[in-house]
Amino acid sequence: MDATWINCPHCGLKHRPRAQTLCPRCGRTSTVSRASTTAIPSLPVAPRATAAMPSAPVAPVPSAPVARVPTPPIREPGPVPTVEYIPSLEPAPARERPAAFDQPQAASASGASTALPLAGGILLVNAVLHLFEFLFLPSVSTNASLRAAQLAGTLVGVGLDALLGITFLRGKTQLRTLAFVRLAVGMFLFGGMSVYQAQYLFTLVVFAFSCGTLVLVWGKPSSFLAGVGLTAVLLGVAVEIIGFTRLAAIQPLSDRARIALRPDLEGRQLGEDESIVGDRYPYKLRVPSEGWYRRKGEVARTSDSSIDVWLFQPEHSGSLVVSVRSWNEADATNLQEASKLELRDLRAQYPDFQVADTSDNGTPLQDASVTTLTGSAARNGKPFQFEVSLYKKGDKLLRVMAFAPTKTFELLHLQGATTGFRPD
């Protein structure tokens, strides 16, 4: 049984043979044979010689005291792990990948990351320009449905451009498909409305901007394509800026902003003591106060085809209207009868019309050239004050009517405004 045990020559541990001849305590190689080593060999000791003759007495030599060294306590050997396989502690070398495998991906990611933030910045700029286009570019059409579609498209477009611009500036690509749909729909929607309104230059701007931005947003454009797309965008922006500059020279942008949501108005703001001239008949009419605008002719003549000029004050809802009619002797032989007919028409339109005063402005009753009446009535549920003056010039009857809410009538200097009319 002892033949299966060996003693380590280094630490003396008795253990069974190991596959790699390693000592489980010290981990060193045991080179001792597998023979039993439990018996410790003893050295031969020479036997004491027995003296035949008496020995001389030996004086005892006093021995020096020997210092006692404390013996350290013997510790029981603890469990020592068996060292049969020691793995290498050095890290395994990383597997090298060929450089040619990474270069195309790095190049494509670099191209996309360069073009996408640029497209994001362009979309943010377009959100601002989109608002400017709606507020300041002149709108030819007065169709309510078309204007509503333009307003809805503007709000949706501005919101989408801001969202896409911020997303692309942050380097995210999840909304590329939405950007493609937005640019394609906007190109055909706003381009089609511009063609309908005969704004061909603006149509060209819409197509150039949309196509250029699509090149930067979609795919991974080369340097040449990115340059072409950016050039198209810059040309479109340059045309818009030039258009804003020329528009500001003709009409202040602040005035256009005030009437942006009033497509029935046109032209610049008219100031106090300015005069306007007639379209159908030569006359001059003094503007009574500040902040007046002309209403578009096709809008003004919707209710009455005889209206020549309609001035409107949007801030205080004041109106100053000039109508040109043919004089019909069968209806009225003089201005007094014409004034009665006008009062009848007013009461037909406003049943609660109350006359406050009438005046012939100092002209003879039989040969009067102007007559004036004033009154009040409810218009759209609000109390309004009216002043109407009639002028007879040859075969024409000219009517000048001013009306405004009662509380702002005097504020707009409309009292006596109709008598400042000067027919030629």
Side-chain angles (χ1 to χ4, degrees), residues 108-191:
S108 62
S110 175
S113 62
T114 301
L116 202 58
L118 179 61
I122 291 173
L123 287 172
L124 285 178
V125 173
N126 186 59
V128 178
L129 292 178
H130 207 168
L131 282 176
F132 272 69
E133 290 167 7
F134 183 81
L135 292 177
F136 302 134
L137 288 181
S139 177
V140 177
S141 176
T142 57
N143 188 295
S145 300
L146 181 61
R147 290 287 296 182
Q150 285 180 324
L151 178 58
T154 297
L155 297 178
V156 173
V158 169
L160 280 179
D161 286 347
L163 173 63
L164 294 172
I166 294 174
T167 302
F168 292 158
L169 282 176
R170 296 176 63 184
K172 297 182 178 180
T173 61
Q174 293 87 346
L175 299 181
R176 275 185 172 179
T177 304
L178 179 61
F180 177 80
V181 174
R182 178 261 175 274
L183 290 170
V185 172
M187 178 171 58
F188 290 103
L189 176 63
F190 291 101

Coordinates of all heavy atoms in Angstrom, one line a residue, residues 108-191:
S108 N -18.7 55.7 -45.5 CA -20.2 56.0 -45.7 C -20.8 56.7 -44.5 O -21.6 57.6 -44.7 CB -20.9 54.7 -46.0 OG -20.7 53.8 -44.9
A109 N -20.4 56.2 -43.3 CA -20.9 56.9 -42.1 C -20.5 58.3 -42.0 O -21.3 59.2 -41.6 CB -20.5 56.2 -40.9
S110 N -19.3 58.6 -42.5 CA -18.8 60.0 -42.5 C -19.6 60.8 -43.4 O -20.0 62.0 -43.1 CB -17.3 60.0 -42.8 OG -16.8 61.3 -42.9
G111 N -19.8 60.3 -44.7 CA -20.6 61.1 -45.6 C -22.0 61.4 -45.2 O -22.5 62.5 -45.3
A112 N -22.7 60.3 -44.6 CA -24.0 60.5 -44.1 C -24.1 61.5 -43.0 O -24.9 62.4 -42.9 CB -24.6 59.2 -43.7
S113 N -23.1 61.4 -42.1 CA -23.1 62.3 -40.9 C -22.8 63.7 -41.3 O -23.2 64.7 -40.6 CB -22.1 61.8 -39.9 OG -20.8 61.8 -40.4
T114 N -22.1 63.9 -42.4 CA -21.8 65.3 -42.9 C -23.0 65.9 -43.6 O -23.3 67.1 -43.3 CB -20.6 65.2 -43.8 OG1 -19.5 64.7 -43.2 CG2 -20.2 66.6 -44.3
A115 N -23.7 65.2 -44.4 CA -24.9 65.7 -45.1 C -26.1 65.9 -44.3 O -26.9 66.8 -44.5 CB -25.2 64.8 -46.4
L116 N -26.3 65.0 -43.4 CA -27.6 65.0 -42.6 C -27.7 66.2 -41.7 O -28.8 66.8 -41.7 CB -27.7 63.7 -41.8 CG -29.2 63.3 -41.4 CD1 -30.1 63.2 -42.6 CD2 -29.2 62.0 -40.6
P117 N -26.7 66.5 -40.9 CA -26.9 67.8 -40.1 C -27.0 69.0 -40.9 O -27.7 70.0 -40.5 CB -25.6 67.8 -39.3 CG -25.1 66.4 -39.2 CD -25.5 65.8 -40.5
L118 N -26.4 69.0 -42.1 CA -26.6 70.2 -43.0 C -28.0 70.3 -43.5 O -28.6 71.4 -43.5 CB -25.6 70.0 -44.2 CG -25.7 71.1 -45.3 CD1 -25.3 72.4 -44.7 CD2 -24.8 70.7 -46.5
A119 N -28.6 69.1 -43.8 CA -30.0 69.1 -44.2 C -30.9 69.5 -43.0 O -31.9 70.2 -43.2 CB -30.4 67.7 -44.7
G120 N -30.5 69.1 -41.8 CA -31.3 69.6 -40.6 C -31.3 71.1 -40.5 O -32.3 71.7 -40.2
G121 N -30.1 71.7 -40.6 CA -30.0 73.2 -40.5 C -30.9 73.8 -41.6 O -31.5 74.9 -41.4
I122 N -30.8 73.3 -42.8 CA -31.6 73.9 -43.9 C -33.1 73.8 -43.6 O -33.9 74.7 -43.9 CB -31.3 73.1 -45.2 CG1 -29.8 73.5 -45.7 CG2 -32.2 73.5 -46.3 CD1 -29.3 72.7 -46.8
L123 N -33.6 72.7 -43.1 CA -35.0 72.5 -42.7 C -35.4 73.5 -41.7 O -36.5 74.0 -41.7 CB -35.3 71.1 -42.3 CG -35.2 70.0 -43.4 CD1 -35.4 68.6 -42.8 CD2 -36.4 70.3 -44.4
L124 N -34.6 73.8 -40.7 CA -34.9 74.8 -39.7 C -35.0 76.2 -40.3 O -35.9 77.0 -40.0 CB -33.8 74.8 -38.6 CG -33.9 73.6 -37.6 CD1 -32.8 73.7 -36.6 CD2 -35.2 73.6 -36.9
V125 N -34.1 76.5 -41.2 CA -34.2 77.8 -41.9 C -35.4 77.9 -42.7 O -36.1 78.9 -42.8 CB -32.9 78.0 -42.8 CG1 -33.1 79.3 -43.7 CG2 -31.7 78.1 -41.9
N126 N -35.8 76.7 -43.4 CA -37.0 76.7 -44.2 C -38.3 76.9 -43.3 O -39.3 77.5 -43.8 CB -37.1 75.4 -44.9 CG -38.3 75.3 -45.9 OD1 -38.3 76.2 -46.8 ND2 -39.2 74.4 -45.7
A127 N -38.3 76.5 -42.1 CA -39.4 76.7 -41.2 C -39.7 78.2 -41.0 O -40.8 78.6 -41.1 CB -39.2 76.0 -39.9
V128 N -38.6 78.9 -40.9 CA -38.7 80.4 -40.7 C -39.2 81.0 -42.0 O -40.1 81.9 -42.1 CB -37.4 81.0 -40.2 CG1 -37.5 82.5 -40.1 CG2 -37.0 80.4 -38.9
L129 N -38.5 80.6 -43.1 CA -38.9 81.2 -44.4 C -40.3 80.9 -44.8 O -41.0 81.7 -45.5 CB -37.9 80.7 -45.5 CG -36.5 81.2 -45.4 CD1 -35.6 80.6 -46.5 CD2 -36.4 82.7 -45.5
H130 N -40.8 79.7 -44.4 CA -42.1 79.3 -44.7 C -43.2 80.3 -44.1 O -44.2 80.6 -44.7 CB -42.4 77.9 -44.2 CG -43.4 77.1 -45.0 ND1 -43.6 75.8 -44.9 CD2 -44.3 77.6 -45.9 CE1 -44.6 75.4 -45.7 NE2 -45.1 76.5 -46.4
L131 N -42.9 80.6 -42.9 CA -43.8 81.6 -42.2 C -43.7 83.0 -43.0 O -44.7 83.6 -43.2 CB -43.4 81.8 -40.8 CG -43.8 80.7 -39.8 CD1 -43.3 81.0 -38.4 CD2 -45.3 80.6 -39.7
F132 N -42.5 83.4 -43.4 CA -42.3 84.7 -44.1 C -43.1 84.6 -45.4 O -43.7 85.6 -45.8 CB -40.9 84.9 -44.3 CG -40.2 85.7 -43.2 CD1 -40.0 85.1 -41.9 CD2 -39.8 87.0 -43.3 CE1 -39.4 85.7 -40.9 CE2 -39.2 87.7 -42.3 CZ -39.0 87.1 -41.0
E133 N -43.0 83.5 -46.1 CA -43.7 83.4 -47.4 C -45.2 83.6 -47.2 O -45.9 84.3 -48.0 CB -43.5 82.0 -48.0 CG -42.0 81.8 -48.4 CD -41.7 80.4 -48.7 OE1 -42.7 79.5 -48.7 OE2 -40.6 80.0 -49.0
F134 N -45.8 82.9 -46.2 CA -47.2 83.1 -46.0 C -47.6 84.5 -45.6 O -48.7 85.0 -46.0 CB -47.7 82.0 -45.0 CG -49.2 82.0 -44.8 CD1 -50.0 81.4 -45.7 CD2 -49.8 82.7 -43.7 CE1 -51.4 81.4 -45.5 CE2 -51.1 82.7 -43.5 CZ -52.0 82.1 -44.4
L135 N -46.8 85.1 -44.7 CA -47.2 86.4 -44.2 C -46.9 87.5 -45.1 O -47.7 88.5 -45.1 CB -46.4 86.6 -42.8 CG -46.8 85.7 -41.7 CD1 -45.9 86.0 -40.5 CD2 -48.2 85.9 -41.3
F136 N -45.8 87.4 -45.9 CA -45.4 88.6 -46.6 C -45.5 88.5 -48.1 O -45.5 89.5 -48.8 CB -43.9 88.9 -46.3 CG -43.7 89.2 -44.8 CD1 -42.7 88.6 -44.1 CD2 -44.6 90.0 -44.1 CE1 -42.5 88.8 -42.8 CE2 -44.4 90.2 -42.7 CZ -43.4 89.6 -42.1
L137 N -45.5 87.3 -48.7 CA -45.6 87.2 -50.2 C -47.0 87.5 -50.6 O -48.0 87.0 -49.9 CB -45.2 85.9 -50.7 CG -43.7 85.6 -50.6 CD1 -43.4 84.2 -51.2 CD2 -42.9 86.6 -51.4
P138 N -47.3 88.3 -51.6 CA -48.6 88.7 -52.0 C -49.4 87.5 -52.5 O -48.9 86.6 -53.2 CB -48.4 89.7 -53.1 CG -47.1 89.4 -53.6 CD -46.3 88.9 -52.5
S139 N -50.6 87.4 -52.0 CA -51.5 86.3 -52.5 C -52.5 86.9 -53.5 O -53.2 87.8 -53.2 CB -52.2 85.7 -51.3 OG -53.1 84.7 -51.7
V140 N -52.5 86.3 -54.7 CA -53.4 86.7 -55.7 C -54.8 86.3 -55.5 O -55.8 87.0 -55.7 CB -52.9 86.3 -57.1 CG1 -53.9 86.7 -58.2 CG2 -51.5 86.9 -57.3
S141 N -55.0 85.0 -55.0 CA -56.3 84.4 -54.9 C -57.0 84.9 -53.6 O -56.3 85.0 -52.6 CB -56.2 82.9 -54.9 OG -57.4 82.3 -54.6
T142 N -58.3 85.1 -53.7 CA -59.1 85.4 -52.5 C -60.0 84.2 -52.1 O -60.9 84.4 -51.3 CB -59.9 86.7 -52.7 OG1 -60.7 86.5 -53.9 CG2 -59.0 87.9 -53.0
N143 N -59.8 83.1 -52.7 CA -60.6 81.9 -52.5 C -60.4 81.5 -51.0 O -59.3 81.2 -50.6 CB -60.2 80.8 -53.4 CG -61.2 79.6 -53.3 OD1 -61.3 79.0 -52.3 ND2 -61.9 79.4 -54.4
A144 N -61.5 81.4 -50.3 CA -61.4 81.0 -48.9 C -60.8 79.6 -48.7 O -60.0 79.4 -47.8 CB -62.7 81.2 -48.2
S145 N -61.2 78.7 -49.5 CA -60.8 77.3 -49.4 C -59.3 77.2 -49.6 O -58.5 76.5 -48.9 CB -61.5 76.4 -50.3 OG -62.9 76.4 -50.0
L146 N -58.8 77.9 -50.7 CA -57.4 77.9 -51.0 C -56.6 78.5 -49.9 O -55.5 78.0 -49.5 CB -57.1 78.6 -52.3 CG -55.7 78.6 -52.8 CD1 -55.2 77.2 -53.0 CD2 -55.6 79.4 -54.1
R147 N -57.1 79.6 -49.3 CA -56.3 80.3 -48.2 C -56.3 79.4 -47.0 O -55.3 79.3 -46.3 CB -57.0 81.6 -47.9 CG -56.9 82.7 -48.9 CD -55.5 83.3 -48.9 NE -55.2 84.0 -47.7 CZ -54.1 84.6 -47.5 NH1 -53.1 84.6 -48.4 NH2 -53.8 85.2 -46.3
A148 N -57.4 78.7 -46.7 CA -57.4 77.7 -45.6 C -56.4 76.6 -45.8 O -55.7 76.2 -44.9 CB -58.8 77.2 -45.4
A149 N -56.3 76.1 -47.0 CA -55.3 75.1 -47.4 C -53.9 75.6 -47.2 O -53.0 74.9 -46.7 CB -55.6 74.5 -48.8
Q150 N -53.7 76.8 -47.6 CA -52.3 77.4 -47.5 C -52.0 77.6 -46.0 O -50.8 77.3 -45.6 CB -52.3 78.8 -48.2 CG -52.2 78.7 -49.7 CD -52.2 80.1 -50.3 OE1 -52.8 81.0 -49.8 NE2 -51.4 80.2 -51.4
L151 N -52.9 78.0 -45.2 CA -52.6 78.2 -43.8 C -52.4 76.8 -43.1 O -51.4 76.7 -42.3 CB -53.8 78.9 -43.1 CG -53.7 79.1 -41.6 CD1 -52.5 79.9 -41.2 CD2 -55.0 79.7 -41.0
A152 N -53.2 75.8 -43.4 CA -53.0 74.5 -42.8 C -51.7 73.9 -43.2 O -50.9 73.4 -42.4 CB -54.2 73.6 -43.2
G153 N -51.4 74.1 -44.5 CA -50.1 73.6 -45.0 C -48.9 74.3 -44.4 O -47.9 73.7 -44.1
T154 N -49.1 75.6 -44.1 CA -48.0 76.3 -43.5 C -47.7 75.8 -42.1 O -46.6 75.6 -41.7 CB -48.3 77.8 -43.5 OG1 -48.5 78.3 -44.8 CG2 -47.3 78.6 -42.8
L155 N -48.8 75.7 -41.3 CA -48.6 75.2 -39.9 C -48.0 73.8 -39.9 O -47.1 73.6 -39.1 CB -49.9 75.3 -39.2 CG -50.6 76.7 -39.1 CD1 -51.9 76.6 -38.4 CD2 -49.6 77.6 -38.3
V156 N -48.5 72.9 -40.7 CA -48.0 71.5 -40.7 C -46.6 71.5 -41.2 O -45.7 70.8 -40.6 CB -48.9 70.6 -41.6 CG1 -48.3 69.2 -41.7 CG2 -50.3 70.5 -41.0
G157 N -46.3 72.3 -42.3 CA -44.9 72.3 -42.8 C -43.9 72.9 -41.8 O -42.8 72.4 -41.7
V158 N -44.3 74.0 -41.1 CA -43.4 74.6 -40.1 C -43.1 73.6 -39.0 O -41.9 73.4 -38.6 CB -43.9 75.9 -39.6 CG1 -43.2 76.4 -38.4 CG2 -43.9 76.9 -40.7
G159 N -44.1 72.9 -38.5 CA -43.9 72.0 -37.4 C -43.1 70.8 -37.8 O -42.2 70.4 -37.1
L160 N -43.3 70.2 -39.0 CA -42.5 69.1 -39.5 C -41.1 69.5 -39.7 O -40.1 68.8 -39.4 CB -43.1 68.5 -40.8 CG -44.3 67.6 -40.6 CD1 -44.8 67.1 -41.9 CD2 -43.9 66.4 -39.7
D161 N -40.9 70.7 -40.3 CA -39.5 71.1 -40.6 C -38.7 71.3 -39.3 O -37.5 71.0 -39.2 CB -39.5 72.4 -41.4 CG -39.9 72.2 -42.9 OD1 -39.9 71.0 -43.3 OD2 -40.2 73.2 -43.6
A162 N -39.4 71.9 -38.3 CA -38.7 72.1 -37.0 C -38.3 70.8 -36.4 O -37.2 70.6 -35.9 CB -39.5 72.9 -36.1
L163 N -39.3 69.8 -36.4 CA -39.0 68.5 -35.8 C -37.9 67.8 -36.6 O -37.0 67.2 -36.0 CB -40.3 67.7 -35.9 CG -40.2 66.2 -35.5 CD1 -39.7 66.1 -34.0 CD2 -41.5 65.4 -35.7
L164 N -38.0 67.7 -37.9 CA -36.9 67.0 -38.7 C -35.6 67.7 -38.6 O -34.5 67.1 -38.5 CB -37.4 67.0 -40.2 CG -38.6 66.2 -40.5 CD1 -39.1 66.3 -41.9 CD2 -38.4 64.7 -40.2
G165 N -35.6 69.1 -38.6 CA -34.3 69.8 -38.4 C -33.6 69.5 -37.1 O -32.4 69.2 -37.1
I166 N -34.3 69.5 -36.0 CA -33.7 69.2 -34.7 C -33.2 67.7 -34.7 O -32.2 67.4 -34.2 CB -34.7 69.5 -33.6 CG1 -35.0 71.0 -33.5 CG2 -34.2 69.0 -32.3 CD1 -36.1 71.4 -32.6
T167 N -34.0 66.8 -35.2 CA -33.7 65.4 -35.2 C -32.4 65.2 -36.0 O -31.5 64.5 -35.6 CB -34.8 64.6 -35.8 OG1 -36.0 64.8 -35.0 CG2 -34.4 63.1 -35.8
F168 N -32.3 65.8 -37.2 CA -31.1 65.5 -38.1 C -29.9 66.2 -37.5 O -28.8 65.7 -37.6 CB -31.4 66.0 -39.5 CG -32.4 65.2 -40.2 CD1 -33.1 65.7 -41.3 CD2 -32.7 63.9 -39.8 CE1 -34.1 65.0 -41.9 CE2 -33.7 63.1 -40.4 CZ -34.3 63.7 -41.5
L169 N -30.1 67.4 -36.8 CA -28.9 68.0 -36.2 C -28.3 67.2 -35.1 O -27.1 67.3 -34.8 CB -29.3 69.4 -35.7 CG -29.4 70.5 -36.8 CD1 -29.9 71.8 -36.1 CD2 -28.1 70.7 -37.4
R170 N -29.2 66.4 -34.5 CA -28.7 65.5 -33.4 C -28.1 64.2 -33.9 O -27.7 63.3 -33.2 CB -29.9 65.2 -32.4 CG -30.4 66.4 -31.7 CD -31.6 66.1 -30.9 NE -31.3 65.1 -29.8 CZ -32.2 64.6 -29.0 NH1 -33.4 65.0 -29.1 NH2 -31.8 63.8 -28.0
G171 N -28.1 64.0 -35.2 CA -27.5 62.9 -35.9 C -28.4 61.7 -35.9 O -27.9 60.6 -36.3
K172 N -29.7 61.8 -35.7 CA -30.6 60.6 -35.8 C -31.1 60.5 -37.2 O -31.4 61.5 -37.8 CB -31.7 60.8 -34.8 CG -31.2 60.8 -33.3 CD -32.4 60.9 -32.3 CE -31.9 60.9 -30.9 NZ -33.0 60.9 -29.9
T173 N -31.3 59.3 -37.6 CA -31.7 59.0 -39.0 C -33.1 58.3 -39.1 O -33.5 57.9 -40.2 CB -30.7 58.1 -39.7 OG1 -30.5 56.9 -39.0 CG2 -29.3 58.8 -39.8
Q174 N -33.8 58.2 -38.0 CA -35.0 57.4 -38.0 C -36.1 58.1 -38.8 O -37.0 57.4 -39.3 CB -35.5 57.2 -36.6 CG -34.6 56.3 -35.7 CD -33.5 57.1 -35.0 OE1 -33.3 58.2 -35.4 NE2 -32.9 56.4 -34.0
L175 N -36.1 59.4 -39.0 CA -37.1 60.1 -39.6 C -36.8 60.5 -41.1 O -37.4 61.4 -41.6 CB -37.5 61.4 -38.8 CG -37.9 61.2 -37.4 CD1 -38.2 62.5 -36.7 CD2 -39.1 60.3 -37.3
R176 N -35.9 59.7 -41.7 CA -35.6 60.0 -43.1 C -36.8 59.8 -44.0 O -37.0 60.6 -44.9 CB -34.4 59.2 -43.5 CG -33.1 59.8 -43.2 CD -31.9 58.9 -43.8 NE -30.7 59.6 -43.6 CZ -29.5 59.0 -44.0 NH1 -29.5 57.9 -44.6 NH2 -28.4 59.7 -43.9
T177 N -37.5 58.7 -43.8 CA -38.7 58.4 -44.6 C -39.7 59.5 -44.5 O -40.3 60.0 -45.5 CB -39.3 57.1 -44.2 OG1 -38.3 56.1 -44.3 CG2 -40.5 56.7 -45.1
L178 N -40.0 60.0 -43.3 CA -40.9 61.1 -43.0 C -40.4 62.4 -43.8 O -41.2 63.1 -44.3 CB -41.1 61.4 -41.5 CG -42.0 62.5 -41.2 CD1 -43.4 62.2 -41.6 CD2 -42.0 62.7 -39.6
A179 N -39.1 62.6 -43.7 CA -38.6 63.8 -44.4 C -38.8 63.7 -45.9 O -39.1 64.7 -46.6 CB -37.1 64.0 -44.1
F180 N -38.6 62.5 -46.5 CA -38.8 62.3 -47.9 C -40.3 62.5 -48.3 O -40.6 63.2 -49.3 CB -38.5 60.8 -48.3 CG -38.7 60.5 -49.7 CD1 -37.8 60.9 -50.7 CD2 -39.8 59.8 -50.1 CE1 -38.1 60.5 -52.0 CE2 -40.1 59.5 -51.4 CZ -39.2 59.8 -52.4
V181 N -41.2 62.0 -47.5 CA -42.7 62.2 -47.8 C -43.0 63.7 -47.6 O -43.7 64.3 -48.5 CB -43.5 61.4 -46.8 CG1 -45.0 61.7 -47.0 CG2 -43.3 59.9 -47.0
R182 N -42.5 64.4 -46.6 CA -42.8 65.8 -46.4 C -42.3 66.7 -47.6 O -43.0 67.5 -48.1 CB -42.2 66.3 -45.1 CG -42.4 67.8 -44.8 CD -41.2 68.6 -45.2 NE -41.3 70.0 -45.1 CZ -41.9 70.8 -46.0 NH1 -42.3 70.3 -47.1 NH2 -41.9 72.1 -45.8
L183 N -41.1 66.4 -48.0 CA -40.5 67.2 -49.1 C -41.2 66.9 -50.4 O -41.5 67.9 -51.2 CB -39.0 66.9 -49.2 CG -38.2 67.5 -48.1 CD1 -36.7 66.9 -48.2 CD2 -38.1 69.0 -48.1
A184 N -41.5 65.7 -50.7 CA -42.2 65.3 -51.9 C -43.6 65.9 -52.0 O -44.0 66.5 -53.0 CB -42.3 63.8 -52.1
V185 N -44.4 65.8 -50.9 CA -45.8 66.3 -50.9 C -45.7 67.8 -50.9 O -46.5 68.5 -51.6 CB -46.5 65.8 -49.6 CG1 -47.8 66.5 -49.4 CG2 -46.7 64.3 -49.7
G186 N -44.8 68.5 -50.2 CA -44.7 69.9 -50.2 C -44.4 70.5 -51.5 O -44.9 71.5 -51.9
M187 N -43.5 69.7 -52.2 CA -43.1 70.2 -53.6 C -44.2 70.3 -54.5 O -44.4 71.3 -55.2 CB -42.0 69.3 -54.1 CG -41.5 69.6 -55.5 SD -40.0 68.6 -56.0 CE -40.7 67.0 -55.8
F188 N -45.1 69.2 -54.5 CA -46.2 69.2 -55.5 C -47.4 70.0 -54.9 O -48.1 70.7 -55.7 CB -46.6 67.8 -55.7 CG -45.6 67.0 -56.5 CD1 -44.8 66.0 -55.9 CD2 -45.5 67.1 -57.9 CE1 -43.9 65.3 -56.6 CE2 -44.6 66.4 -58.6 CZ -43.8 65.5 -58.0
L189 N -47.6 70.1 -53.6 CA -48.7 70.8 -53.1 C -48.5 72.3 -53.3 O -49.3 73.0 -53.9 CB -48.9 70.5 -51.6 CG -50.0 71.3 -50.9 CD1 -51.4 71.0 -51.5 CD2 -50.1 70.9 -49.4
F190 N -47.4 72.9 -52.7 CA -47.2 74.3 -52.8 C -46.8 74.7 -54.2 O -47.1 75.8 -54.6 CB -46.1 74.7 -51.8 CG -46.5 74.6 -50.3 CD1 -46.2 73.5 -49.6 CD2 -47.4 75.5 -49.8 CE1 -46.6 73.4 -48.3 CE2 -47.8 75.4 -48.5 CZ -47.4 74.3 -47.7
G191 N -46.1 73.8 -54.9 CA -45.8 74.2 -56.3 C -47.0 74.2 -57.1 O -47.2 75.2 -58.0

